[in-house]
Every structure is written in structure tokens, then in C-alpha cells.
Amino acid sequence: MANLLEANCLLCRQKSDVFNHLNDNELDRVNGCRVSIKYHQGEVIFKQGSPCHEFVCVTSGLVKIYLEGEGDRKIIIGFARPVDYIFVPGAFSDKRHHFTAVACEETTACLVEVDIIQELLRSNQQFASGFLTKISEQSIRLFDQLTSFTHKQMPGRMADVLICLAQKIYQSNPFHTSLSRQDLADMSGMTKESAIRILKTFKDDQLINTEGNTIEILNMAMLETISRNG
Amino acid sequence: MANLLEANCLLCRQKSDVFNHLNDNELDRVNGCRVSIKYHQGEVIFKQGSPCHEFVCVTSGLVKIYLEGEGDRKIIIGFARPVDYIFVPGAFSDKRHHFTAVACEETTACLVEVDIIQELLRSNQQFASGFLTKISEQSIRLFDQLTSFTHKQMPGRMADVLICLAQKIYQSNPFHTSLSRQDLADMSGMTKESAIRILKTFKDDQLINTEGNTIEILNMAMLETISRNG
DNA sequence: CAGTTTTGATGACATAGATCATCTGATTTG
DNA sequence: CAAATCAGATGATCTATGTCATCAAAACTG
């Protein structure tokens, strides 16, 4: 059985909130020009600085989105899971990507030309409104990350990351992740070594348990306290 | 002579880009329900966490926009100058303010009910599109700030701030500012003491000159190098 | 399957930058 | 005008965290 999610935008819509505002006609237009692509783990979907021609909608797998700094330093600012559309702010300003998207595991995504989406934004105000909401929420998340990175120290930041992974990204408590320690470090604005050390102290303190890439939060209350106290 | 900028949205439009997309009729609607308020230095225009009822458009003065963290730590994420409309992401999601806006000097601003703007966003797609662009640019600026804060050390961050003030905010080279050293610190993610120290080293190195609240950049090229090298 | 590369884990060390304390001059206030 | 408050300035610590080096285990790869 083929992956239903990829078969048609009309089926996919049931999963994605933004596209709920499009009628069947409009979705057919999107469906007609979409291209479904399969990415292997570690493959770049689009790269910071490159021109942005398509919108990307993740239909299976997991995509990490990060800012590239000097050297090989990264800041992971978010993830896209099925069925998430990746909001690309450059599409509305300088037509460039301002972050890089990479598949964390086997991933399929649909590419839709920017022009089509922008046409729909113009003709369908409910769709546009949904878009505005999504962008806004993304901004708000950035505020939180900026505050966390600037005001909290490492334990607080790592607590934030672990809570986010369990509650938002994987939505399960012992969760298995394809993210490396380096990725966790990039999510929390520290070096890999520091990330490993913090995870170890959390483990020693019975806050979490780690078995390779499986992490279990044992004491959520305490983690939340650590997050709050920075 | 009264301040013309405040007299009427139609005149004000000439200054503000977003409102260019509204026709005279629509602007009249905005004009009809707007309230112009005068704020003194240091007064709060709206407060992080509070419900957001109005959009704020700054018609004179200078407004700083910052995130409030634990304790009294702040992160200044931007400024609004005449004629800037302050984009409030909460207006499209949870109807709450996610940052605080404070007048840095004598400031006048027009308040317009959120509902009116949202109605216009629905009926005028060009207006909505201009909005989308503005929000996107704000996001992109946040990316830069997040990268700067996380990857650069203090001299690089302060260089960023000084360049931004001279080129974007005040658009003049010896510039006089109503911002305190604490504000500069809040813009660059460090303590007031550190900000003062960095400014002093810059001054000692002939990169800038400071006389109270007047700052002159003497060696822009070097500052840019410092900014780039973090 | 031997060899190479990557990832995780840890220790030793260096330092950027926060914190705390003090002092000055400026500005506000009773 | 004295007193009090506040912003700027500066030095003395202390510490969180980055850097570097090493090593083991796992994962590729020819």
C-alpha cells in the first residue's frame, strides 16, 4: 500500500491545519503542481541563503530547521513533522532562504511552487489568515528561544529542550530520537560536550534515563522547575 | 501648528509603507476610530502578557520593544519610529502581547482596534500581503539576533548594536540617543557593566567616540570586521 | 573483516563574562 | 539647597562554559 498521505493533497489536508481553508478546487490546483520527493537521513532539503522557489510540506519523517552561523555552528530553531508546512519568511521578502532544512531520518516532502501559494493567499483570505497565524506562532516561539538562550544557563536550556521533545515533537515519554547529542546541543545553544555533561548530571540525579538515543523523562516536575529557574 | 502626522491617517500614510495599500475609503475608516495618545519617556505603551486590543502606530518619538525574562532582565528586540506600525504576533494567535513596548522619549502613537485592522486584512489582499512581508522581515531580524546572541561574543554583539543604531535607527553618524547603557546592554545581551567596558575598549581603540549619550563611529570598517568575526 | 570515520563520553584547563562592591557626577525631589 | 536617587564608570573576584585532548564504542566502507 502506497503512502496515502502522499497520494493527494485532499487526503493530506485532514492532517494539516493551514490547508483546511482551501476548497477542493484550490487543493486540486496545488495537487496538480506538487512534486513529492524522498529524502535520506542527513540530506539537505533547502539551504540557508539559496533562492526559495518552492514551499515544502513534510508528509513523512522529520525535518530539522536551523540557522547556520560562522564556522559550523548551528542553531536548531524548529522541526517539521507530518503534516507540517515549513514557513519560509524569505518567500515574502527577499526570496531567499534564511535557514537550512535537513531530513533527520527518511523523509518525504511535497514541493509546491511559491507562486501558486501566493496566488491562493491573494484569492483566499481564510487561507491567508491561517498563514498569518502560523507565522505569528513561529515568531512567538522565536521569542521564547531567544529568552531561553540569553537568560537561562545550560541546565535550564537543556530542560527546555527535553520537555519540548517529549511533549511537542515526539509526544511520547520514553521517546526514541534520531537526533544526535550534537543536535541536542544545537537546540540548546551549547557545545556537544556540555550537552553530554548536562544530560549526565540529569541522569545521575534521576531526572531522566538515557539508553543510546532513547530518552525517558523520570521527573518532569523537577525538569520544569529547572527550566523555570534558568 | 499641530503635528500633521497625527492629524489624519491619509497624510500619515505617506510615511508608512503598510498603509500605502489602503485606499482613501479604508483609511478613513481607520482614521475614524483611531485614538492618538501622547506618552512620556519611560511610559509603558503595552505590556508583555496583557491582552492586545489595539494596534499601535508610532507617529513621533521612539519606542523600544523588549522581551521580559525572569528577574528584571530584558532583551530589546527592536524599535518603532515614526511612522512604524508595531506588529504584534499575539493579535493573530492568543490575543496576548508577547513583548513590552515603552516610549524612549516623548512619543505619540495612534491606537487602532485590532478588529478594524483584521477586517481590512480580510478585505484588502494587498494590505494583507504587505503585512505578511513585514512580519517576515521581523522574523528574519529575529534570526539574526538569535545568531548574534548565541554565536558572537560581546565585542561582536556590541558592534552589531552600534552599527544598527547608526545605520537603521538614527540614520546619522554622530548620533545622539535617549538610550541608556542599560538599554545598549539589553540590545546586545550582556550586563550594563560589560556594555560599559566594551564601549570603553572601543573608545580606547579609536573605533568610536562617546560623549555622554552622543556616540560617533570613527572606524566603521573595523567595527564591521569585529561584527563579522564575532 | 580490517581499517577508517563518526559519535559519545570524560577529564584538564583557560577564559569570557557575570556578580558584587565602590565611587563619581548628574539629576531629581522634598 | 540639601538630600536622595540614579546612571556611568571601574576594579576585584568567581564561575559557567568553551576548548582541547583522549579514548571507547559504534557505524560505515573498501
Side-chain angles (χ1 to χ4, degrees):
Chain A
M1 190 183 84
N3 189 339
L4 278 181
L5 289 177
E6 298 173 55
N8 193 315
C9 289
L10 282 84
L11 298 167
C12 206
R13 165 175 58 174
Q14 293 156 14
K15 290 272 194 169
S16 173
D17 40 353
V18 202
F19 289 95
N20 271 332
H21 299 119
L22 297 181
N23 62 36
D24 289 0
N25 230 358
E26 292 168 323
L27 269 181
D28 249 359
R29 283 202 55 204
V30 174
N31 195 43
C33 77
R34 101 195 136 78
V35 184
S36 180
I37 309 252
K38 202 176 163 102
Y39 296 94
H40 297 297
Q41 178 168 42
E43 283 184 350
V44 171
I45 298 174
F46 55 77
K47 174 90 180 162
Q48 181 171 327
S50 68
C52 80
H53 302 297
E54 294 101 3
F55 279 121
V56 175
C57 188
V58 179
T59 49
S60 81
L62 181 69
V63 174
K64 65 180 169 187
I65 291 164
Y66 59 82
L67 306 174
E68 300 191 47
E70 294 302 310
D72 52 358
R73 307 202 54 172
K74 310 186 212 308
I75 306 168
I76 294 181
I77 55 170
F79 293 91
R81 290 172 318 116
V83 179
D84 276 349
Y85 148 80
I86 303 178
F87 167 68
V88 180
F92 304 100
S93 57
D94 57 0
K95 312 290 175 199
R96 292 271 175 281
H97 286 292
H98 290 268
F99 45 71
T100 297
V102 166
C104 296
E105 48 196 60
E106 291 297 300
T107 292
T108 51
C110 289
L111 310 187
V112 181
E113 265 187 48
V114 168
D115 296 345
I116 303 282
I117 298 288
Q118 292 200 323
E119 225 178 288
L120 291 172
L121 283 173
R122 252 172 268 138
S123 60
N124 182 333
Q125 64 82 2
Q126 266 206 308
F127 182 55
S129 164
F131 233 72
L132 220 46
T133 302
K134 247 201 151 210
I135 302 169
S136 299
E137 286 167 355
Q138 186 168 305
S139 265
I140 292 170
R141 250 176 286 121
L142 271 179
F143 293 161
D144 290 340
Q145 189 166 15
L146 188 58
T147 315
S148 174
F149 273 37
T150 331
H151 290 331
K152 293 184 186 179
Q153 16 199 78
M154 294 201 298
R157 268 140 54 203
M158 184 56 82
D160 284 343
V161 164
L162 293 175
I163 294 170
C164 169
L165 287 175
Q167 294 186 344
K168 305 249 180 79
I169 313 295
Y170 294 107
Q171 297 174 13
S172 91
N173 191 345
F175 59 88
H176 181 83
T177 175
S178 48
L179 300 173
S180 66
R181 306 296 144 131
Q182 181 66 61
D183 287 328
L184 297 183
D186 293 340
M187 288 179 74
S188 48
M190 61 184 78
T191 58
K192 186 184 58 170
E193 292 93 326
S194 293
I196 291 171
R197 267 185 265 266
I198 298 287
L199 286 176
K200 184 176 158 52
T201 67
F202 282 0
K203 192 175 182 177
D204 290 347
D205 297 349
Q206 308 274 328
L207 300 177
I208 62 169
N209 193 24
T210 61
E211 297 248 346
N213 279 346
T214 302
I215 300 178
E216 179 173 11
I217 296 180
L218 301 174
N219 191 340
M220 178 64 86
M222 195 52 172
L223 265 193
E224 278 167 349
T225 306
I226 291 174
S227 158
R228 240 176 293 111
N229 297 345
Chain B
M1 190 185 83
N3 188 339
L4 277 181
L5 290 176
E6 298 173 55
N8 191 316
C9 289
L10 282 84
L11 298 166
C12 205
R13 165 174 58 173
Q14 293 156 15
K15 291 273 193 169
S16 172
D17 41 352
V18 203
F19 289 95
N20 271 332
H21 299 119
L22 296 182
N23 62 36
D24 288 1
N25 229 358
E26 293 168 323
L27 268 180
D28 250 359
R29 282 202 56 203
V30 174
N31 196 44
C33 77
R34 101 195 137 78
V35 184
S36 180
I37 310 251
K38 201 175 163 102
Y39 296 94
H40 297 298
Q41 179 169 39
E43 282 183 350
V44 171
I45 297 174
F46 56 78
K47 174 87 181 165
Q48 180 171 328
S50 68
C52 81
H53 302 297
E54 293 101 3
F55 279 122
V56 175
C57 189
V58 178
T59 49
S60 81
L62 181 68
V63 174
K64 64 179 169 188
I65 291 163
Y66 59 83
L67 306 175
E68 300 191 47
E70 294 302 309
D72 52 357
R73 309 203 53 174
K74 311 184 212 308
I75 306 168
I76 295 181
I77 55 170
F79 294 91
R81 289 173 319 117
V83 179
D84 277 348
Y85 148 81
I86 303 178
F87 168 67
V88 181
F92 304 101
S93 56
D94 57 0
K95 312 291 175 198
R96 291 272 175 282
H97 286 292
H98 290 267
F99 46 69
T100 296
V102 166
C104 296
E105 49 197 59
E106 290 297 300
T107 293
T108 50
C110 289
L111 311 188
V112 181
E113 265 185 49
V114 168
D115 296 344
I116 304 281
I117 298 287
Q118 292 200 322
E119 225 178 287
L120 291 172
L121 283 173
R122 252 171 268 140
S123 60
N124 181 333
Q125 63 85 0
Q126 268 205 306
F127 182 55
S129 164
F131 234 72
L132 219 45
T133 302
K134 245 198 152 213
I135 302 169
S136 299
E137 286 166 357
Q138 185 167 305
S139 265
I140 292 169
R141 249 177 287 122
L142 272 180
F143 293 161
D144 290 340
Q145 189 166 13
L146 188 57
T147 316
S148 175
F149 274 36
T150 325
H151 290 332
K152 293 183 185 179
Q153 11 198 82
M154 296 201 298
R157 268 141 52 201
M158 185 54 83
D160 284 344
V161 165
L162 293 174
I163 293 170
C164 170
L165 286 175
Q167 295 186 343
K168 305 250 179 78
I169 313 295
Y170 294 109
Q171 296 175 14
S172 92
N173 191 344
F175 59 88
H176 182 82
T177 175
S178 48
L179 301 173
S180 66
R181 305 296 145 132
Q182 182 65 60
D183 286 329
L184 297 183
D186 292 340
M187 288 179 74
S188 47
M190 61 184 78
T191 58
K192 186 184 60 172
E193 292 92 326
S194 293
I196 291 170
R197 266 185 265 267
I198 297 287
L199 286 175
K200 184 175 158 52
T201 67
F202 282 0
K203 191 174 183 177
D204 290 347
D205 297 349
Q206 309 272 329
L207 299 178
I208 62 169
N209 193 26
T210 61
E211 298 247 344
N213 278 345
T214 302
I215 300 178
E216 179 174 12
I217 295 179
L218 301 174
N219 191 340
M220 178 63 86
M222 194 53 171
L223 265 193
E224 279 167 347
T225 307
I226 291 174
S227 158
R228 241 175 294 113
N229 296 345

